[in-house]
Structures are given as structure tokens and as C-alpha cells.
Amino acid sequence: MPEKGTTMPPRQKQQYRHLPAFILLALAEEPIHGGAILSALSQRMPLSKPDSAAVYRALQRLEDEAQVVSNWDTSGSGPARRVYRLTEAGWEKLDAWREDIEMRLANLRYFLDTYAELRSHRRLK
């Protein structure tokens, strides 16, 4: 995402619109560190690979909004990793995302069905 005050191309805006929802979904499966979240999103969403800066900014916002909490894991042999975990507020937001996405899908289904019907009538004329 660009610096404050700059304009993001429409396709890029669309790519990041639901990024928090996908992050929350990944964290609903298990607490994991930011790099693992990025890896999971890249594997599960091959047509829309978010960059690491966008993921970490979204994680910071989610933490600021108390939807996730983090702690440092120093148990491994490498550097400490910040592990994120979903909170009750995060589960509630995930529910809200589900409702939003279901509504969007219904609207998109209406569009596609109506378009297909109109297109087939146009061919008959």
C-alpha cells in the first residue's frame, strides 16, 4: 500500500480490501508468526499475493483494534518471532467479514445470472 496521501491503483486497492479477513481466517486455524501468515496467504491465494509490508501493516492495525494479540516466541533456535493469536474481538470481526462476503457473493451471483440471461436473450433476437 502506498504512503498516506498517495493514490493506489484500483486493482491494488481491491487486492488488499479483504486482507484483514484472510489474516483473521489464518489465525483462526492456529496462532502463527507473520512470516507464516504471509506464506499461508501466498499458498492459498495464488492469484493475489500480498506483499509482506501490507501483511505486517494489517497485523498492526488488527492488534491496535484488539482483534489479535501477539507475544514473542524465543523457544526456537533462530531469532525470536512475534506470534499472533485471534481474540474474541477478532472472532466477532471474522463473523462480520463472513456476513459481508456472503452479501457480496449474493450481489455478484445476481449480476452474473442477470447478465447471462440478458446475453442469451440478445443472441435470440
Side-chain angles (χ1 to χ4, degrees), residues 1 5 7 11-12 24 26 29 46-47 49 55-56 58 60 67 71 74 77 84-86 91 95 98 104 106 119 121:
M1 291 181 150
T7 304
R11 183 172 172 86
Q12 196 172 9
L24 291 173
E29 295 180 53
L47 298 178
K49 294 184 186 227
V55 169
Y56 284 104
Q60 183 60 57
Q67 295 174 31
N71 62 339
T74 58
S77 61
Y84 296 88
R85 181 176 49 83
L86 202 58
W91 278 105
D95 289 339
R98 180 195 51 80
R104 289 175 190 275
R119 196 70 179 152
H121 285 149

Side-chain angles (χ1 to χ4, degrees), residues 15-86:
Q15 176 182 354
Y16 293 116
R17 176 181 300 149
H18 293 93
L19 181 59
F22 287 101
I23 291 171
L24 291 173
L25 189 63
L27 290 172
E29 295 180 53
E30 65 179 324
I32 51 178
H33 62 85
I37 293 169
L38 182 62
S39 177
L41 295 179
S42 294
Q43 290 172 4
R44 296 172 188 171
M45 301 167 50
L47 298 178
S48 177
K49 294 184 186 227
D51 65 64
S52 61
V55 169
Y56 284 104
R57 279 193 303 273
L59 281 166
Q60 183 60 57
R61 279 192 308 276
L62 292 169
E63 195 163 25
D64 291 346
E65 296 167 357
Q67 295 174 31
V68 301
V69 293
S70 67
N71 62 339
W72 288 99
D73 178 9
T74 58
S75 64
S77 61
R81 293 182 175 182
R82 192 172 199 156
V83 176
Y84 296 88
R85 181 176 49 83
L86 202 58

Side-chain angles (χ1 to χ4, degrees), residues 93-111:
K93 186 62 176 184
L94 199 54
D95 289 339
W97 276 113
R98 180 195 51 80
E99 291 172 11
D100 176 72
I101 291 169
E102 285 178 345
M103 184 230 15
R104 289 175 190 275
L105 284 172
N107 288 337
L108 292 171
R109 175 55 42 209
Y110 160 76
F111 175 89

